[in-house]
Amino acid sequence: MRLTRCFNRYHAELAVLAAPFAVGVMVLVAWPLAQSLWLAFTQVDRVLPFPLGAWPNFTLLSIDPLVAIAVDNSLAFLRLAVPARLMLALALGLWFNTRQPGVNGYRTLVYLPTVLPDPAYALLWLWLVNPVYGPLNAVLAGLGVQPLAWLADPALAPLVFVLMTSLQIGEGLVVVLAGLKTIPPVLYDVARLDGASAWRQFTAITLPWLAPWLVLLSARDVALTLHSTFVANYLMTGGDPYYATLFLPLLVYEMLFDNGWLGLGSAAGGLFLALTGLLVGLVVWGVQAAQEVNDAT
Amino acid sequence: MPPKARAALFHLVSVAVVAVFVVPGAWLVATSLRLPGLPPPTSIEWWPNPPAWSNYARVFELVPLARYAFNSLTVTGVGVVLATLVAAWAGFVLAQTPRAWHGFWVMAVLTVLVVPPVMLWWPRLWLYRDLGWLSSWLPLWAPALLGGTPINVLLFFWAARRVPADVIEAARADGASAWQVWRWVVWPLSRAAWVPAMMLAAVLFWGDSVSPLLYLRSTALATVPVGLDTLLQLDRSDWPILMAAVVLASLPPVLLLMAVQRWLWRGLDDLTRRD
C-alpha cells in the first residue's frame, strides 16, 4: 500500500517537471497549429466573392502558379542542400575524428558559421555575392573567370542559398563525431586482421553504426532546410529574380502578412506542413526499411 | 607513412578545409574597415589601408546599438537559462518512462520540428496580444517553453538515459523526490548535454530576428537583429558601416563558442563513452 503511494507521488512530481515543456508544446505549437488549420478551411479574407467548391482555399492554391513554383523551388533546394549538408558533415566528421593535436581548434572553426545570427549571416552573404563590390567575383576575376550576376541570375541565385546552408553544419559535425565515438574500436582491429580494405571497413562498420545518427540528422535537416530559409530569403532576394528563389516559407509569409490572406495563407501553410511531414516520414521510414533489409541479409 | 608526415598532411588538408569556413568571416572584417563611399575595390582587400575604425563608431550613431545589445543580452541570458531548465526537466522525465516508450518520444519530439514556424506566427500574435504580452520581452522568451528547440529536450533525454537506473533507484529508496533526483543525480551527470544545449539556445535567442519584428511594439525593447534590419537601408557604398554592425552582432556568439569549445568537444566523449 505504502509502496504504491510512493510510486504515485513520484509520478506526480515527474509530471510537474514535464509540465513546462508540455504546456509549451500545447500552447505554442498545437493550439496555434489547430487555429491555422481551421483558418485554412474558412474564407476569412474573402479572396473571392463567389464559392469555389467545398475547399475554396485549396482550390485556389491548386490554380495559383506561384504555389507550384514555390513547391518546385523548395524541393529543388532540398535535393541539393540536404545531401550536401550530410556529405559535408560526414566527410568532416570522419576527417576530424582523430587525436591529432589541434583538431579541436579546426572543429571549432568549422562550427563558426553555424553560430552567426541569421540576419548577420544573410547580410554577410549579400555582401560576398555582390556582383560589383563582393569578393567572390574578385576571386573569379583573379582566376580569369567572367564576373557572375549571382543573386540576379535565376540559375545561380538558388545555388547561393545551397552554398550558404552547406557551410552551417556545425551541429551535423557534432552528431557525426558523437556517432563515430560509439563504434567499438575492436571492430576495426578485427577487420584489419581479416585484411578488410579501408572502404570495406567504412561500408561494413562505420556506416551501419552511424545509420541511426544519420537518420536523425537527415530527418532534422529535411525539416530545417525547408523551414529555415526564411530570414535569408526575405532579406536577400524576396523571391527574386523571376521567383527563382521563392521558397515555401516566404510564399506563406507573403500571403499571410503582406497580403493579409489568412485563409489562403493558412491553407498554403497546411500544404507546407503536409509536405514536410511526408518528406521527414519518408526519410525515417526509408532508412528503417533499408536497415531491416540490411539486417536480414 | 611516418607519423610526422602524417601529421603534416593532416594539418595541411585541415587548414585548406577550414579556410572555406573562415575566409568569408575574414572578408567581413576587412570590409567593415573599408572607408565608406569608396568605389568598388579592383582586387580583394585583406586589410584596408588605412583601416576605417570610425565605421564602428558610426554604427552607434545611426542606431542605438548599445541599447539593442543590452536588450539582446538580457533576452538571451534569461532565455538560455529558462530553455535549458525546461529541456533538462522534460528530457529527464521522458527518460524516466518505460524503455518501450522511448522510441515514441523521439518521434513525438521530431513531430514538433515538422511544423513550419511560419504557420504559427499569426496565431501566436493573437495569443500574445490577448495575454497583453506585446511590448514586453515575454514573446521573445516564450520559445524557452519548448526548451529553445525540441532538439535540446532530446539531448537531455539521451544524457539522462545514460544515468544508471540503480543510482536513481537508490536515491528514491532514500526518499528523494523527483526534483531531488533530478537536481542531485541526473543534472550533474548530464554534464555532456549542458554546453551543446546552451549553445543551441544562445544562438537561437541571440539571432532571433522574426519575433522582435512581429511582436515588439516598442523600439526601447528592440534587439540587435532589429538594428541590422534598420541599417539595411544604407546605400551599397556605405555598406562597410553595415558590415561593422554585422561584425558586432556576430561577436557575442563567436566569443561564446570560443569560450565553451573545450567543453563542447570534451562533452562529446562523455556523452558517448561506452561503459
Side-chain angles (χ1 to χ4, degrees), chain B residues 183-236:
Chain B
R183 176 66 188 84
W184 304 112
V185 180
V186 175
W187 171 251
L189 289 176
S190 321
R191 187 171 307 182
W194 292 359
V195 171
M198 285 181 196
M199 204 57 226
L200 270 178
V203 168
L204 219 76
F205 282 106
W206 181 266
D208 185 0
S209 59
V210 175
S211 307
L213 291 173
L214 285 182
Y215 309 128
L216 289 186
R217 292 286 175 275
S218 141
T219 37
L221 293 175
T223 52
V224 170
V226 178
L228 290 181
D229 207 56
T230 314
L231 288 172
L232 192 53
Q233 299 163 27
L234 284 171
D235 187 79
R236 283 289 190 274

Short mmCIF file of all heavy atoms in Angstrom, two decimals, chain B residues 183-236:
data_model
loop_
_atom_site.label_atom_id
_atom_site.label_comp_id
_atom_site.label_asym_id
_atom_site.label_seq_id
_atom_site.Cartn_x
_atom_site.Cartn_y
_atom_site.Cartn_z
N ARG B 183 17.90 17.09 -9.47
CA ARG B 183 18.85 18.14 -9.09
C ARG B 183 20.20 17.57 -8.67
O ARG B 183 21.25 18.10 -9.01
CB ARG B 183 18.25 18.98 -7.96
CG ARG B 183 19.16 20.05 -7.38
CD ARG B 183 19.44 21.12 -8.42
NE ARG B 183 20.47 22.07 -7.96
CZ ARG B 183 21.78 21.87 -8.06
NH1 ARG B 183 22.23 20.73 -8.60
NH2 ARG B 183 22.64 22.78 -7.66
N TRP B 184 20.17 16.46 -7.91
CA TRP B 184 21.42 15.97 -7.30
C TRP B 184 22.01 14.75 -8.00
O TRP B 184 23.15 14.41 -7.75
CB TRP B 184 21.20 15.68 -5.81
CG TRP B 184 20.69 16.88 -5.09
CD1 TRP B 184 19.45 17.04 -4.55
CD2 TRP B 184 21.38 18.13 -4.89
NE1 TRP B 184 19.32 18.30 -4.02
CE2 TRP B 184 20.49 18.99 -4.20
CE3 TRP B 184 22.65 18.60 -5.22
CZ2 TRP B 184 20.83 20.29 -3.85
CZ3 TRP B 184 22.99 19.89 -4.86
CH2 TRP B 184 22.09 20.72 -4.19
N VAL B 185 21.23 14.09 -8.85
CA VAL B 185 21.77 12.91 -9.54
C VAL B 185 21.85 13.15 -11.05
O VAL B 185 22.93 13.10 -11.65
CB VAL B 185 20.92 11.64 -9.25
CG1 VAL B 185 21.51 10.45 -9.99
CG2 VAL B 185 20.86 11.39 -7.76
N VAL B 186 20.72 13.42 -11.67
CA VAL B 186 20.66 13.43 -13.14
C VAL B 186 21.32 14.69 -13.72
O VAL B 186 22.09 14.60 -14.67
CB VAL B 186 19.20 13.27 -13.62
CG1 VAL B 186 19.12 13.41 -15.13
CG2 VAL B 186 18.67 11.93 -13.18
N TRP B 187 21.02 15.85 -13.14
CA TRP B 187 21.57 17.09 -13.69
C TRP B 187 23.11 17.09 -13.67
O TRP B 187 23.74 17.36 -14.69
CB TRP B 187 20.99 18.29 -12.94
CG TRP B 187 21.63 19.61 -13.26
CD1 TRP B 187 22.44 20.33 -12.45
CD2 TRP B 187 21.53 20.36 -14.48
NE1 TRP B 187 22.84 21.48 -13.07
CE2 TRP B 187 22.31 21.53 -14.32
CE3 TRP B 187 20.88 20.16 -15.70
CZ2 TRP B 187 22.44 22.49 -15.32
CZ3 TRP B 187 21.00 21.13 -16.69
CH2 TRP B 187 21.77 22.27 -16.51
N PRO B 188 23.76 16.73 -12.53
CA PRO B 188 25.24 16.71 -12.56
C PRO B 188 25.78 15.67 -13.54
O PRO B 188 26.84 15.89 -14.14
CB PRO B 188 25.63 16.33 -11.13
CG PRO B 188 24.42 16.57 -10.30
CD PRO B 188 23.24 16.43 -11.18
N LEU B 189 25.04 14.57 -13.73
CA LEU B 189 25.54 13.52 -14.62
C LEU B 189 25.20 13.81 -16.09
O LEU B 189 25.62 13.09 -16.98
CB LEU B 189 24.97 12.16 -14.21
CG LEU B 189 25.54 11.59 -12.91
CD1 LEU B 189 24.83 10.29 -12.53
CD2 LEU B 189 27.04 11.36 -13.02
N SER B 190 24.40 14.86 -16.35
CA SER B 190 24.08 15.22 -17.74
C SER B 190 25.03 16.28 -18.27
O SER B 190 24.72 16.94 -19.25
CB SER B 190 22.66 15.78 -17.87
OG SER B 190 21.76 15.10 -17.07
N ARG B 191 26.16 16.41 -17.62
CA ARG B 191 27.10 17.49 -17.98
C ARG B 191 27.36 17.54 -19.47
O ARG B 191 27.50 18.61 -20.05
CB ARG B 191 28.40 17.28 -17.21
CG ARG B 191 29.38 18.41 -17.35
CD ARG B 191 30.52 18.23 -16.41
NE ARG B 191 30.04 18.02 -15.03
CZ ARG B 191 30.83 17.87 -13.99
NH1 ARG B 191 32.12 17.88 -14.15
NH2 ARG B 191 30.33 17.71 -12.78
N ALA B 192 27.40 16.38 -20.12
CA ALA B 192 27.72 16.33 -21.55
C ALA B 192 26.74 17.15 -22.38
O ALA B 192 27.09 17.68 -23.43
CB ALA B 192 27.74 14.89 -22.03
N ALA B 193 25.50 17.25 -21.91
CA ALA B 193 24.48 17.94 -22.70
C ALA B 193 24.45 19.44 -22.41
O ALA B 193 23.87 20.19 -23.19
CB ALA B 193 23.10 17.33 -22.43
N TRP B 194 25.06 19.86 -21.33
CA TRP B 194 24.97 21.27 -20.93
C TRP B 194 25.42 22.21 -22.04
O TRP B 194 24.67 23.09 -22.46
CB TRP B 194 25.85 21.55 -19.71
CG TRP B 194 25.41 20.93 -18.43
CD1 TRP B 194 24.29 20.15 -18.26
CD2 TRP B 194 26.06 21.01 -17.16
NE1 TRP B 194 24.23 19.73 -16.96
CE2 TRP B 194 25.28 20.24 -16.26
CE3 TRP B 194 27.21 21.65 -16.70
CZ2 TRP B 194 25.63 20.11 -14.92
CZ3 TRP B 194 27.55 21.51 -15.37
CH2 TRP B 194 26.77 20.75 -14.49
N VAL B 195 26.67 22.03 -22.48
CA VAL B 195 27.24 23.00 -23.41
C VAL B 195 26.53 22.99 -24.77
O VAL B 195 26.14 24.04 -25.25
CB VAL B 195 28.76 22.80 -23.54
CG1 VAL B 195 29.31 23.63 -24.66
CG2 VAL B 195 29.43 23.16 -22.23
N PRO B 196 26.32 21.80 -25.40
CA PRO B 196 25.63 21.85 -26.69
C PRO B 196 24.24 22.48 -26.57
O PRO B 196 23.85 23.28 -27.43
CB PRO B 196 25.51 20.38 -27.10
CG PRO B 196 26.49 19.65 -26.28
CD PRO B 196 26.76 20.45 -25.05
N ALA B 197 23.51 22.16 -25.49
CA ALA B 197 22.16 22.68 -25.36
C ALA B 197 22.17 24.20 -25.14
O ALA B 197 21.41 24.94 -25.77
CB ALA B 197 21.43 21.99 -24.20
N MET B 198 23.05 24.67 -24.27
CA MET B 198 23.10 26.11 -24.01
C MET B 198 23.55 26.86 -25.26
O MET B 198 23.06 27.95 -25.57
CB MET B 198 24.06 26.40 -22.86
CG MET B 198 23.47 26.05 -21.52
SD MET B 198 24.65 26.45 -20.21
CE MET B 198 23.98 25.54 -18.85
N MET B 199 24.50 26.26 -25.98
CA MET B 199 24.98 26.88 -27.21
C MET B 199 23.84 27.02 -28.22
O MET B 199 23.63 28.09 -28.80
CB MET B 199 26.09 25.96 -27.75
CG MET B 199 27.12 26.56 -28.64
SD MET B 199 28.01 27.93 -27.94
CE MET B 199 27.92 29.01 -29.33
N LEU B 200 23.09 25.92 -28.42
CA LEU B 200 21.96 25.95 -29.35
C LEU B 200 20.96 27.02 -28.94
O LEU B 200 20.50 27.81 -29.77
CB LEU B 200 21.26 24.59 -29.37
CG LEU B 200 21.74 23.55 -30.37
CD1 LEU B 200 20.96 22.26 -30.19
CD2 LEU B 200 21.56 24.05 -31.79
N ALA B 201 20.65 27.06 -27.65
CA ALA B 201 19.66 28.02 -27.17
C ALA B 201 20.18 29.45 -27.33
O ALA B 201 19.45 30.35 -27.75
CB ALA B 201 19.30 27.73 -25.71
N ALA B 202 21.46 29.66 -27.00
CA ALA B 202 22.02 31.01 -27.08
C ALA B 202 21.98 31.52 -28.52
O ALA B 202 21.59 32.67 -28.77
CB ALA B 202 23.45 31.01 -26.55
N VAL B 203 22.36 30.68 -29.47
CA VAL B 203 22.35 31.08 -30.88
C VAL B 203 20.92 31.44 -31.30
O VAL B 203 20.68 32.41 -32.01
CB VAL B 203 22.92 29.95 -31.76
CG1 VAL B 203 22.64 30.20 -33.23
CG2 VAL B 203 24.41 29.80 -31.51
N LEU B 204 19.98 30.63 -30.82
CA LEU B 204 18.58 30.83 -31.17
C LEU B 204 18.03 32.16 -30.65
O LEU B 204 17.43 32.94 -31.39
CB LEU B 204 17.77 29.69 -30.56
CG LEU B 204 16.66 29.16 -31.42
CD1 LEU B 204 17.23 28.30 -32.52
CD2 LEU B 204 15.73 28.34 -30.55
N PHE B 205 18.27 32.43 -29.35
CA PHE B 205 17.72 33.65 -28.76
C PHE B 205 18.45 34.88 -29.30
O PHE B 205 17.85 35.90 -29.58
CB PHE B 205 17.83 33.61 -27.23
CG PHE B 205 16.77 32.76 -26.59
CD1 PHE B 205 17.07 31.51 -26.08
CD2 PHE B 205 15.46 33.21 -26.51
CE1 PHE B 205 16.10 30.72 -25.50
CE2 PHE B 205 14.47 32.43 -25.93
CZ PHE B 205 14.81 31.18 -25.43
N TRP B 206 19.78 34.80 -29.44
CA TRP B 206 20.55 35.96 -29.89
C TRP B 206 20.19 36.29 -31.34
O TRP B 206 20.11 37.45 -31.72
CB TRP B 206 22.05 35.70 -29.75
CG TRP B 206 22.87 36.86 -30.17
CD1 TRP B 206 23.40 37.08 -31.42
CD2 TRP B 206 23.21 38.01 -29.40
NE1 TRP B 206 24.06 38.27 -31.46
CE2 TRP B 206 23.97 38.87 -30.22
CE3 TRP B 206 22.96 38.39 -28.07
CZ2 TRP B 206 24.48 40.08 -29.78
CZ3 TRP B 206 23.47 39.61 -27.63
CH2 TRP B 206 24.21 40.44 -28.49
N GLY B 207 20.01 35.27 -32.18
CA GLY B 207 19.80 35.50 -33.61
C GLY B 207 18.34 35.67 -34.01
O GLY B 207 18.05 35.89 -35.18
N ASP B 208 17.43 35.55 -33.05
CA ASP B 208 16.01 35.61 -33.39
C ASP B 208 15.65 36.96 -33.98
O ASP B 208 15.65 37.98 -33.29
CB ASP B 208 15.18 35.36 -32.12
CG ASP B 208 13.69 35.27 -32.43
OD1 ASP B 208 13.34 35.40 -33.61
OD2 ASP B 208 12.90 35.08 -31.49
N SER B 209 15.37 36.98 -35.28
CA SER B 209 15.04 38.25 -35.92
C SER B 209 13.55 38.35 -36.20
O SER B 209 13.03 39.43 -36.46
CB SER B 209 15.83 38.41 -37.22
OG SER B 209 15.53 37.34 -38.08
N VAL B 210 12.85 37.21 -36.18
CA VAL B 210 11.42 37.24 -36.53
C VAL B 210 10.58 37.74 -35.36
O VAL B 210 9.77 38.65 -35.51
CB VAL B 210 10.95 35.84 -37.00
CG1 VAL B 210 9.46 35.84 -37.25
CG2 VAL B 210 11.71 35.43 -38.25
N SER B 211 10.81 37.16 -34.16
CA SER B 211 9.97 37.52 -33.01
C SER B 211 10.01 39.02 -32.71
O SER B 211 8.94 39.62 -32.52
CB SER B 211 10.37 36.73 -31.77
OG SER B 211 10.38 35.37 -32.04
N PRO B 212 11.19 39.66 -32.63
CA PRO B 212 11.15 41.09 -32.29
C PRO B 212 10.41 41.91 -33.34
O PRO B 212 9.69 42.86 -32.99
CB PRO B 212 12.63 41.49 -32.22
CG PRO B 212 13.40 40.37 -32.77
CD PRO B 212 12.56 39.15 -32.67
N LEU B 213 10.54 41.54 -34.61
CA LEU B 213 9.86 42.32 -35.65
C LEU B 213 8.35 42.09 -35.63
O LEU B 213 7.57 42.98 -35.96
CB LEU B 213 10.44 42.00 -37.03
CG LEU B 213 11.87 42.50 -37.24
CD1 LEU B 213 12.46 41.99 -38.55
CD2 LEU B 213 11.93 44.03 -37.20
N LEU B 214 7.92 40.89 -35.21
CA LEU B 214 6.48 40.60 -35.21
C LEU B 214 5.80 41.05 -33.92
O LEU B 214 4.67 41.52 -33.94
CB LEU B 214 6.23 39.09 -35.37
CG LEU B 214 6.43 38.47 -36.74
CD1 LEU B 214 6.09 36.98 -36.68
CD2 LEU B 214 5.56 39.15 -37.78
N TYR B 215 6.49 40.88 -32.78
CA TYR B 215 5.79 41.00 -31.51
C TYR B 215 6.17 42.22 -30.67
O TYR B 215 5.51 42.48 -29.68
CB TYR B 215 6.00 39.75 -30.66
CG TYR B 215 5.71 38.45 -31.37
CD1 TYR B 215 6.64 37.41 -31.39
CD2 TYR B 215 4.50 38.26 -32.04
CE1 TYR B 215 6.37 36.23 -32.05
CE2 TYR B 215 4.24 37.09 -32.71
CZ TYR B 215 5.17 36.07 -32.70
OH TYR B 215 4.92 34.90 -33.36
N LEU B 216 7.25 42.91 -31.01
CA LEU B 216 7.63 44.06 -30.18
C LEU B 216 6.97 45.31 -30.74
O LEU B 216 7.03 45.58 -31.93
CB LEU B 216 9.15 44.23 -30.15
CG LEU B 216 9.94 43.19 -29.37
CD1 LEU B 216 11.40 43.58 -29.30
CD2 LEU B 216 9.38 43.02 -27.97
N ARG B 217 6.36 46.07 -29.85
CA ARG B 217 5.67 47.28 -30.29
C ARG B 217 6.42 48.53 -29.80
O ARG B 217 5.89 49.62 -29.86
CB ARG B 217 4.24 47.30 -29.76
CG ARG B 217 3.36 46.25 -30.37
CD ARG B 217 2.99 46.62 -31.80
NE ARG B 217 2.22 45.55 -32.43
CZ ARG B 217 2.78 44.50 -33.03
NH1 ARG B 217 4.09 44.39 -33.05
NH2 ARG B 217 2.05 43.57 -33.57
N SER B 218 7.64 48.33 -29.27
CA SER B 218 8.34 49.47 -28.70
C SER B 218 9.81 49.37 -29.05
O SER B 218 10.44 48.33 -28.84
CB SER B 218 8.14 49.47 -27.18
OG SER B 218 9.33 49.84 -26.52
N THR B 219 10.37 50.44 -29.65
CA THR B 219 11.78 50.38 -30.05
C THR B 219 12.69 50.32 -28.84
O THR B 219 13.82 49.87 -28.95
CB THR B 219 12.17 51.61 -30.89
OG1 THR B 219 11.48 52.73 -30.36
CG2 THR B 219 11.83 51.42 -32.35
N ALA B 220 12.19 50.76 -27.68
CA ALA B 220 13.05 50.70 -26.48
C ALA B 220 13.38 49.26 -26.13
O ALA B 220 14.38 49.01 -25.46
CB ALA B 220 12.34 51.38 -25.31
N LEU B 221 12.53 48.31 -26.58
CA LEU B 221 12.76 46.90 -26.25
C LEU B 221 13.47 46.16 -27.38
O LEU B 221 13.78 44.99 -27.24
CB LEU B 221 11.41 46.21 -25.99
CG LEU B 221 10.64 46.66 -24.75
CD1 LEU B 221 9.29 45.97 -24.70
CD2 LEU B 221 11.43 46.36 -23.50
N ALA B 222 13.73 46.85 -28.50
CA ALA B 222 14.24 46.16 -29.70
C ALA B 222 15.59 45.51 -29.44
O ALA B 222 16.36 45.94 -28.58
CB ALA B 222 14.34 47.14 -30.85
N THR B 223 15.86 44.44 -30.22
CA THR B 223 17.11 43.69 -30.06
C THR B 223 18.02 43.92 -31.27
O THR B 223 17.64 44.58 -32.23
CB THR B 223 16.82 42.20 -29.88
OG1 THR B 223 15.96 41.78 -30.94
CG2 THR B 223 16.15 41.93 -28.55
N VAL B 224 19.20 43.35 -31.23
CA VAL B 224 20.23 43.61 -32.26
C VAL B 224 19.74 43.33 -33.69
O VAL B 224 20.01 44.13 -34.59
CB VAL B 224 21.51 42.82 -31.93
CG1 VAL B 224 22.48 42.86 -33.08
CG2 VAL B 224 22.15 43.39 -30.67
N PRO B 225 19.03 42.20 -33.94
CA PRO B 225 18.58 41.98 -35.32
C PRO B 225 17.73 43.13 -35.87
O PRO B 225 17.77 43.41 -37.07
CB PRO B 225 17.76 40.69 -35.21
CG PRO B 225 18.39 39.95 -34.08
CD PRO B 225 18.77 41.03 -33.09
N VAL B 226 16.98 43.80 -35.01
CA VAL B 226 16.19 44.96 -35.46
C VAL B 226 17.14 46.06 -35.96
O VAL B 226 16.87 46.72 -36.97
CB VAL B 226 15.30 45.49 -34.32
CG1 VAL B 226 14.53 46.72 -34.77
CG2 VAL B 226 14.35 44.40 -33.85
N GLY B 227 18.26 46.24 -35.25
CA GLY B 227 19.25 47.22 -35.67
C GLY B 227 19.82 46.90 -37.04
O GLY B 227 19.96 47.79 -37.89
N LEU B 228 20.11 45.61 -37.28
CA LEU B 228 20.61 45.20 -38.59
C LEU B 228 19.58 45.51 -39.67
O LEU B 228 19.90 45.99 -40.75
CB LEU B 228 20.94 43.70 -38.60
CG LEU B 228 22.12 43.25 -37.77
CD1 LEU B 228 22.33 41.75 -37.92
CD2 LEU B 228 23.39 43.97 -38.22
N ASP B 229 18.32 45.21 -39.34
CA ASP B 229 17.24 45.45 -40.29
C ASP B 229 17.16 46.93 -40.66
O ASP B 229 16.93 47.28 -41.82
CB ASP B 229 15.94 44.98 -39.65
CG ASP B 229 14.93 44.56 -40.69
OD1 ASP B 229 15.28 43.68 -41.49
OD2 ASP B 229 13.83 45.14 -40.71
N THR B 230 17.37 47.80 -39.67
CA THR B 230 17.33 49.24 -39.93
C THR B 230 18.48 49.66 -40.84
O THR B 230 18.30 50.43 -41.79
CB THR B 230 17.42 50.02 -38.60
OG1 THR B 230 16.51 49.42 -37.67
CG2 THR B 230 17.08 51.47 -38.79
N LEU B 231 19.68 49.15 -40.54
CA LEU B 231 20.88 49.56 -41.28
C LEU B 231 20.88 49.05 -42.72
O LEU B 231 21.66 49.53 -43.55
CB LEU B 231 22.14 49.06 -40.56
CG LEU B 231 22.49 49.79 -39.27
CD1 LEU B 231 23.63 49.09 -38.57
CD2 LEU B 231 22.86 51.23 -39.57
N LEU B 232 20.01 48.08 -43.00
CA LEU B 232 19.94 47.52 -44.35
C LEU B 232 19.57 48.61 -45.36
O LEU B 232 19.81 48.46 -46.56
CB LEU B 232 18.91 46.39 -44.37
CG LEU B 232 18.86 45.47 -45.58
CD1 LEU B 232 20.24 44.89 -45.85
CD2 LEU B 232 17.87 44.36 -45.35
N GLN B 233 19.02 49.72 -44.87
CA GLN B 233 18.62 50.80 -45.78
C GLN B 233 19.81 51.61 -46.29
O GLN B 233 19.64 52.46 -47.17
CB GLN B 233 17.65 51.75 -45.06
CG GLN B 233 16.38 51.08 -44.63
CD GLN B 233 15.65 51.89 -43.59
OE1 GLN B 233 15.78 53.10 -43.55
NE2 GLN B 233 14.89 51.22 -42.75
N LEU B 234 20.99 51.36 -45.74
CA LEU B 234 22.17 52.11 -46.18
C LEU B 234 22.47 51.83 -47.65
O LEU B 234 22.22 50.74 -48.16
CB LEU B 234 23.40 51.70 -45.35
CG LEU B 234 23.47 52.26 -43.94
CD1 LEU B 234 24.61 51.60 -43.18
CD2 LEU B 234 23.67 53.76 -43.98
N ASP B 235 23.06 52.82 -48.32
CA ASP B 235 23.47 52.65 -49.71
C ASP B 235 24.61 51.63 -49.78
O ASP B 235 25.40 51.50 -48.85
CB ASP B 235 23.94 54.00 -50.25
CG ASP B 235 24.22 53.92 -51.73
OD1 ASP B 235 23.25 53.95 -52.50
OD2 ASP B 235 25.41 53.81 -52.11
N ARG B 236 24.67 50.93 -50.92
CA ARG B 236 25.70 49.88 -51.08
C ARG B 236 27.12 50.40 -50.78
O ARG B 236 27.94 49.68 -50.22
CB ARG B 236 25.68 49.32 -52.50
CG ARG B 236 24.57 48.35 -52.77
CD ARG B 236 24.76 47.03 -52.07
NE ARG B 236 23.81 46.03 -52.52
CZ ARG B 236 22.58 45.88 -52.02
NH1 ARG B 236 22.15 46.66 -51.05
NH2 ARG B 236 21.78 44.95 -52.48
#
